[in-house]
Amino acid sequence: QVQLVESGGGSVQAGASLKLACSASGFPFSQFAMGWFRQTAGKEREFVAAVKWSGDSTKYANSVEGRFTISKDSAGNTVYLQMNDLKPEDTALYYCAKDRQRRRSFTPTRNGDFQSWGQGTRVTVTA
């Protein structure tokens, strides 16, 4: 049974940093890409970042490029999202998710490429 548990959210001021973690179990973590998404009330869930199953390729939304870094620790079955220079528009519920496909040849970025979403961790950034 796939389980994804996010942690690390919180309330911070603009310009601060947070590091989110997603602990995974129930599947061969090293063979799947992982992604981070976020959602605010009344809006669709949006892509934030993803890391290829091999860990050697990453993709980012334009809005977070240069500020956020995703990384994958296959030994620890954990995917991280380091968020720097946070802005009020980063306020959202952040989810991690597992790729639907094992060893996908490219780094997925679409909602439909992922499954098994976690319960989310909330990030609030005040001006």
Side-chain angles (χ1 to χ4, degrees), residues 1 18 32 40 46 62 67 70 102 105 107 110 117-118 120:
Q1 179 180 352
L18 282 174
F32 288 84
T40 55
E46 66 170 354
N62 290 338
R67 299 188 297 121
I70 188 171
R102 183 186 300 243
S105 61
T107 307
R110 301 175 304 173
W117 306 85

Side-chain angles (χ1 to χ4, degrees), residues 37-55:
F37 290 75
R38 66 188 181 187
Q39 189 170 23
T40 55
K43 294 188 177 181
E44 291 189 359
R45 187 163 48 200
E46 66 170 354
F47 169 76
V48 175
V51 57
K52 191 178 175 181
W53 68 271
S54 52

Side-chain angles (χ1 to χ4, degrees), residues 27 34 36 49 52-53 55 69 108:
F27 64 100
M34 297 295 295
W36 284 97
K52 191 178 175 181
W53 68 271
T69 303

Side-chain angles (χ1 to χ4, degrees), residues 77-96:
N77 281 16
T78 302
V79 60
Y80 299 98
L81 186 68
Q82 175 67 48
M83 307 186 296
N84 298 329
D85 190 22
L86 283 160
K87 304 176 185 300
E89 52 264 40
D90 295 319
T91 295
L93 189 60
Y94 283 72
Y95 299 91
C96 72

Side-chain angles (χ1 to χ4, degrees), residues 11-74:
S11 296
V12 297
Q13 290 191 324
S17 297
L18 282 174
K19 187 172 185 176
L20 307 184
C22 173
S23 179
S25 61
F27 64 100
F29 181 79
S30 64
Q31 299 187 33
F32 288 84
M34 297 295 295
W36 284 97
F37 290 75
R38 66 188 181 187
Q39 189 170 23
T40 55
K43 294 188 177 181
E44 291 189 359
R45 187 163 48 200
E46 66 170 354
F47 169 76
V48 175
V51 57
K52 191 178 175 181
W53 68 271
S54 52
D56 58 357
S57 174
T58 56
K59 294 287 187 184
Y60 298 94
N62 290 338
S63 58
V64 307
E65 182 86 51
R67 299 188 297 121
F68 291 11
T69 303
I70 188 171
S71 59
K72 188 173 186 266
D73 175 9
S74 290

